[in-house]
Amino acid sequence: MSFEKVIGDIYRLKVPFDTLYTSVFLIKKRQGNVLIDCASNASDVDEYIVPSLWNLGLRVTDIQYLILTHKHGDHAGGKERILELCPDIKIISGVVEKFLNDLTMYELKGHTLDCIGVLDERTKTLISGDGLQGAGVGKYRCSLANKDEYIKTIEKIRQDKRIENILFSHAYEPWNKDGVFGREEVEKALKDCKNYIKGANY
């Protein structure tokens, strides 16, 4: 198991979670390396994240920023262990101004009210975490804290022509893949998200 390059300087690590996996993302930048989410627990950090960073020639202390897309355990559960290993790391768990020149924090309310994503403007790629649910994944059906906010999120992304690719944290249905590439695929994914919740009982 290792970080695999997705696009530009964005890498994905698939960490086992239940019968699925959850994604940890790494963005390598000269101004500071960024980890997005940190899996479920301390064991995930020690067994998967640290060795996978090492395989890229990085120590966990080479990570300057940890962004938490939301507070659910499979995304933020490893935070305390990361802090033990790297006490000087800066944790970002809310929308802040653009940082490191070309990364923009992106509010994605709906699944939870604290959901955020990261837009890498260099590659026009939105890392959405669980901010776009599709029809859910495995036994975890599409889960929304607020349907109206989710619809607003979908529409906001649809109108944002900077976004040409989206990376999800899980291989959501109906696509059964963890990302969409190109504006046509993005538009279709957003339409699928909206159509699904229209037919669901929310």
Side-chain angles (χ1 to χ4, degrees), residues 65-189:
Y65 299 90
L66 171 62
I67 297 173
L68 302 176
T69 60
H70 60 300
K71 295 173 184 170
H72 284 172
D74 58 317
H75 297 262
K79 180 182 76 169
E80 295 306 318
R81 181 58 176 156
I82 293 284
L83 282 170
E84 288 177 7
L85 297 172
C86 190
D88 295 328
I89 198 168
K90 182 177 180 182
I91 296 179
I92 300 172
S93 57
V95 175
V96 298
E97 294 296 324
K98 184 185 299 188
F99 73 108
L100 299 184
N101 297 331
D102 43 27
L103 297 181
T104 299
M105 307 308 299
Y106 212 91
E107 192 171 57
L108 298 170
K109 290 183 178 180
H111 172 57
T112 66
L113 294 181
D114 67 337
C115 266
I116 59 172
V118 180
L119 176 59
D120 177 19
E121 296 181 5
R122 295 169 302 173
T123 61
K124 301 181 179 181
T125 299
L126 175 66
I127 299 172
S128 65
D130 284 350
L132 292 172
Q133 289 275 301
V137 59
K139 67 182 181 183
Y140 300 97
R141 298 296 83 204
C142 180
S143 172
L144 301 179
N146 189 300
K147 176 182 176 181
D148 292 338
E149 291 292 346
Y150 186 60
I151 291 171
K152 289 178 186 176
T153 288
I154 293 169
E155 183 60 23
K156 178 173 69 173
I157 296 171
R158 191 188 68 78
Q159 292 180 12
D160 192 339
K161 302 307 181 184
R162 296 176 298 172
I163 298 172
E164 295 184 0
N165 314 295
I166 302 176
L167 304 180
F168 316 122
S169 284
H170 313 282
Y172 285 111
E173 301 168 15
W175 320 298
N176 296 311
K177 54 186 179 181
D178 49 31
V180 288
F181 298 89
R183 190 64 201 186
E184 185 175 339
E185 280 200 30
V186 167
E187 296 277 0
K188 182 181 182 304

